[in-house]
Amino acid sequence: MNTEALTLTLAVTLALTASGPNWASEASEAADPTAGARDALRAALQLRDVPLTVHASCRHAGPDPADRTIGDYLSGLLAAMEQPSNTVQARCEPGPGRHRTCTVWLKHRDDEERWAWGLAFEIDARHRPLWRSVRCLGAG
Amino acid sequence: MTLACSCTNLSTELLNSYLGKTIGDICPHGFSDADLNHCAHFVCHVMNLAAGSVTCKGMANQAVAARIGVCIRVHELFAECPQVDEANSCSSDTFGDGRFVFVTRRNAVNLAAHSMTNVPKKHVGIGLGNTIWHYSNTQDRVVTTTPELFLYHYSGQTNGLFRGSFPDRCTPTRFGCGL
C-alpha cells in the first residue's frame, strides 16, 4: 500500500491512502500512488444524488435533519471539518469479480471531539460506482 | 469467575470494573480503531445492547461468532431508549438507578419526535446517581465525571444534557463478562 499526504491551505490534511496495484488500474497506480485514492474520491462524488435510503446504515446518518442524499451527507461532514486536525483517507482494493471495493473516510480530532464517518462502495472496471453497494461507515 | 459474572444489576461496582479500560480491552471483536468515537460502543458493551443499523461485530474484521455485536452510534442509541428527557437541573440523584446520558447541541435533539440528528459533536455515557461513566476520546479509556462537567463536554455551542431509559433487553455485565 502506498500512502501520500497532501496539505491544503484550508488547514485540512488529506491523507490519501491508495491501495496496491490491481488489474483495473495497475499502470496508473504504478505511475501515481494516489491513483486508487482518486478513483475512490471521484466515485464518491459521483454518488452525490444517491438517496440516504440506499441502506439502513445511511438512513439517519446525515448531520442535518434535512439531508436526503450522499452529497448532503458528505457536504455536512466536510463543513464540520473547518478546524485543524482533519484527515481524508480514500482507497480502493480488489473486490468481488472485476470490481474494486472503495472506502472514503472523513476524520476529525479536536480535543474530546473525535469522529470518523465515511462511505464504502464498489466501483466497476470503468471506475464507475455501483450505487446499490453504498454503505455509510462510522461510529459515535 | 461464574459468581463475578452472574450479577445483572447496574451498580457502581459494576461500572467501576470498566474504569481505565481501553475499547480494545472491552470489545471482543477488536473493533477499536482509535480514530473512531467509541462512546456509544462502550456503553452498549456494558449494557450488552445490540441496536441500530450497524454493530461493532458487523464492522469488525475479526468478529467472534459466539459474542454479540453492540450499537456503535449515539443517535441510533438515543432512538432506542424507551423514554428520553432533558436534565434541566442536577441533584444528588440526577440519574437515579441508571440512565444513558447524552450531551450534544440542544437543537440536535427533538424530544417529541424521540430523535437525535447525527451531528458530529455528541457524546454518551452511563449515569448512576450523580456520576457518569463514559469513554474519554482524549484519554482513550473509561473515566468518570459529573453532570456539571459533562454538560460542557463540547465548547462553542449550547449543549443540552439528555437522559434515556434503558431498553428492557439491556443486560448490564461487569468487565470481562459480556454476552
Side-chain angles (χ1 to χ4, degrees):
Chain A
M1 181 185 301
N2 300 305
T3 302
E4 179 174 317
L6 305 173
T7 301
L8 300 184
T9 54
L10 294 177
V12 175
T13 300
L14 294 179
L16 299 176
T17 307
S19 66
N22 63 39
W23 71 272
S25 58
E26 188 170 353
S28 60
E29 288 191 8
D32 180 356
T34 68
R38 285 189 287 105
D39 285 347
L41 291 167
R42 185 185 305 109
L45 294 172
Q46 291 172 359
L47 291 166
R48 68 178 185 178
D49 294 326
V50 172
L52 289 172
T53 53
V54 65
H55 189 260
S57 63
C58 302
R59 191 158 292 134
H60 300 291
D64 187 279
D67 289 348
R68 294 290 178 270
T69 66
I70 293 296
D72 294 337
Y73 169 69
L74 294 176
S75 298
L77 295 171
L78 287 166
M81 299 172 75
E82 60 186 351
Q83 300 297 323
S85 301
N86 296 305
T87 303
V88 176
Q89 290 179 332
R91 62 192 294 183
C92 291
E93 296 179 320
R98 293 167 63 86
H99 294 168
R100 285 189 292 163
T101 300
C102 302
T103 54
V104 174
W105 281 100
L106 305 178
K107 300 182 176 183
H108 177 84
R109 281 187 183 216
D110 182 12
D111 195 35
E112 277 291 340
E113 183 187 354
R114 179 181 303 185
W115 50 264
W117 294 89
L119 289 177
F121 52 88
E122 293 176 18
I123 61 175
D124 65 15
R126 295 186 177 183
H127 312 283
R128 296 175 303 196
L130 307 177
W131 69 271
R132 289 185 186 279
S133 68
V134 170
R135 301 290 182 270
C136 291
L137 306 175
Chain B
M1 187 65 177
T2 302
L3 282 177
C5 284
S6 65
C7 176
T8 56
N9 292 322
L10 191 66
S11 66
T12 298
E13 181 198 15
L14 181 150
L15 289 165
N16 280 345
S17 70
Y18 289 90
L19 277 180
K21 299 294 189 294
T22 69
I23 198 66
D25 297 329
I26 296 166
C27 180
H29 306 298
F31 183 64
S32 56
D33 184 340
D35 286 330
L36 296 174
N37 183 335
H38 290 285
C39 59
H41 187 194
F42 158 63
V43 301
C44 290
H45 266 305
V46 174
M47 304 305 289
N48 292 285
L49 178 59
S53 63
V54 291
T55 67
C56 56
K57 188 175 184 177
M59 293 288 289
N61 294 323
Q62 351 165 358
V64 177
R67 304 288 297 275
I68 68 166
V70 301
C71 181
I72 58 175
R73 294 180 173 179
V74 176
H75 63 296
E76 293 182 350
L77 174 60
F78 185 85
E80 286 288 325
C81 298
Q83 293 180 314
V84 291
D85 67 1
E86 182 171 6
N88 292 311
S89 62
C90 297
S91 68
S92 60
D93 198 27
T94 308
F95 309 113
D97 57 358
R99 294 288 187 277
F100 289 123
V101 187
F102 303 86
V103 62
T104 188
R105 196 180 70 211
R106 280 193 82 190
N107 60 7
V109 170
N110 183 335
L111 286 174
H114 205 133
S115 67
M116 176 185 290
T117 303
N118 188 26
V119 294
K121 292 183 181 181
K122 58 189 184 311
H123 198 60
V124 64
I126 293 176
L128 182 66
N130 202 42
T131 302
I132 298 168
W133 285 256
H134 70 104
Y135 199 78
S136 167
N137 288 315
T138 50
Q139 300 179 58
D140 271 321
R141 62 187 178 91
V142 180
V143 299
T144 57
T145 190
T146 64
E148 292 83 358
L149 291 173
F150 204 62
L151 182 58
Y152 294 98
H153 191 75
Y154 296 117
S155 59
Q157 62 181 19
T158 302
N159 295 323
L161 196 66
F162 300 90
R163 293 176 290 211
S165 59
F166 301 136
D168 287 343
R169 63 185 185 280
C170 283
T171 305
T173 51
R174 292 172 50 84
F175 173 74
C177 300
L179 303 180

